[in-house]
Amino acid sequence: MPAPSSDETERLLGDLPDFKLVGLLHGASNYTFLAELGPQQPVPLRVVYKPGRGESPLWDFAAGTLYRREVAAYELSKVLGWPRIPPTVVRRDAPHGVGAVQLFIEADGRHFLGSNRQDSDTWLRVALFDVITNNADRKSGHCLFDGEDRVWVIDHGLTFHVDEKLRTVIWDFASQELPDNLCGDVERAVLELGRGPATRKFERLISPGEIRVLKRRMRAVLERDWRFPEPTSAWSIPWPPV
């Protein structure tokens, strides 16, 4: 299998022919398929496919935008350098139309709650990413462990809203200050979103207003008195939490 973080993996996700649906992944609120790509590989490349027209209607997120938010989250993780998100691209020539295609991660069943064997820096970065992207649905099961004990985070369709939407199971860092070693990453991301290829990519994925508020959130976490938010009510934790 290609290195999950490589440009080559993204190219394969977008270009490999013979897009074969293997089955429907159960438990998702939107249509989510396990699929295989391409005859050129020693074994087919396994992917997760989320078509835009399979998204359930929501009152607060525009229809047909969730798959683009998945890709935007991946692109932001590349700019920041964290957290680890499987390569994700927009693909138009898919069986059920345009949607997000993401590299499938062979996970071992562990997730954040009850199986936390990672150092706290890993979860701190995930928590900060969720604040920056305004993630409205960080469930424990969206944090996958692979065979090398690495954490991969998935399911970023409910992100980048202009209104406050943060809902997560990771409140371990509430009221803590932002560590100095992460400031440079966030500062770089603000600059990258203000110019060049990264800006053009995001303009194709989320709205101008969402980009503007994203940059505002990143600037906010860099302020001297900023601290990780605290839960405000039971609504602050997604249901089900896993």
Side-chain angles (χ1 to χ4, degrees), residues 192-209:
E192 287 289 327
L193 284 177
R195 62 175 186 238
T199 301
R200 291 191 289 274
K201 284 183 179 180
F202 275 86
E203 288 173 346
R204 294 192 292 266
L205 297 170
I206 57 178
S207 72

Side-chain angles (χ1 to χ4, degrees), residues 4 6 9 16 37 48 72 94 113 132 137 144 157 176 184 190 206 226 229:
S6 69
T9 303
L16 275 177
L37 302 179
V48 175
L113 295 175
I132 290 171
D137 193 34
L144 309 178
Q176 293 186 25
V190 173
I206 57 178
W226 185 85

Side-chain angles (χ1 to χ4, degrees), residues 148-215:
E148 298 180 30
D149 212 34
R150 297 175 299 185
V151 171
W152 298 82
V153 288
I154 61 170
D155 283 351
H156 296 100
L158 301 186
T159 48
F160 300 110
H161 202 286
V162 296
D163 297 329
E164 178 58 43
K165 295 284 182 180
L166 182 63
R167 299 181 76 201
T168 177
V169 295
I170 306 176
W171 290 105
D172 304 53
F173 308 99
S175 79
Q176 293 186 25
E177 297 179 349
L178 180 68
D180 291 340
N181 65 318
L182 296 183
C183 292
D185 296 338
V186 178
E187 289 171 348
R188 183 181 63 252
V190 173
L191 292 175
E192 287 289 327
L193 284 177
R195 62 175 186 238
T199 301
R200 291 191 289 274
K201 284 183 179 180
F202 275 86
E203 288 173 346
R204 294 192 292 266
L205 297 170
I206 57 178
S207 72
E210 288 166 338
I211 294 172
R212 185 167 57 251
V213 176
L214 168 62
K215 289 190 286 189

Side-chain angles (χ1 to χ4, degrees), residues 35 103 234:
L103 185 69

